Amino acid sequence: MDCLFCKIIKGEIPAKLIYRDDYVVAFDDINPQAPHHKLIVPLKHIDTLNALHIEDNELIGHMMQTAKMLAKNLNIDEEGYRVVMNCNAGAGQTVFHIHLHLLGGRQMIWPPG
Ligand code: AMP
Ligand code: ZN
């Protein structure tokens, strides 16, 4: 499958990995939008949030727990951070393998653009 994040998971494309377990990897976004910008990506390929099944509930929960853990490790948990998943092109999704953006280290604005 021609998927950028599957290739990163398999080690075929380099990335600055900061975390890996049996379910997810996390690495630096190549085009950071904040001083801290990490991507939390499930090992399982799922195109978009629309393709999520009930049996993926534990996986999604684990992705959020990973975001929480990384935010604490980065020491941005108290000042604040943002976790975002874009679904489809209209929301800005460009890589069609679901992922959480973890953004922090600056003041966030609302609503996002
Ligand atoms: P999205 O637009 O929500 O699909 O997010 C995709 C993210 O992947 C963007 O923030 C990109 O900067 C990031 N990205 C694209 N290619 C790479 C790469 N090779 N390594 C790390 N991050 C990447
Ligand atoms: Zn993939």
Side-chain angles (χ1 to χ4, degrees), residues 25-106:
V25 292
F27 49 87
D28 286 348
D29 195 294
I30 205 168
N31 184 23
Q33 301 301 310
H36 298 289
H37 187 173
K38 315 295 181 188
L39 299 176
I40 298 149
V41 181
L43 303 189
K44 177 182 178 183
H45 179 97
I46 301 169
D47 289 332
T48 78
L49 192 57
N50 289 337
L52 198 73
H53 295 293
I54 291 286
E55 54 266 31
D56 298 317
N57 284 2
E58 207 171 325
L59 178 61
I60 285 287
H62 185 68
M63 290 168 69
M64 294 300 281
Q65 289 289 350
T66 303
K68 180 188 87 171
M69 180 267 293
L70 293 176
K72 186 166 178 57
N73 290 351
L74 293 165
N75 205 27
I76 55 172
D77 54 329
E78 291 302 327
E79 69 190 47
Y81 58 95
R82 183 169 288 166
V83 177
V84 179
M85 184 184 290
N86 298 321
C87 182
N88 272 334
Q93 186 175 6
T94 57
V95 178
F96 287 80
H97 177 139
I98 63 166
H99 48 281
L100 290 178
H101 294 258
L102 169 62
L103 299 134
R106 68 166 168 83

Side-chain angles (χ1 to χ4, degrees), residues 1 3-6 45-46 96-97:
M1 193 188 300
C3 169
L4 176 65
F5 287 174
C6 282
H45 179 97
I46 301 169
F96 287 80
H97 177 139

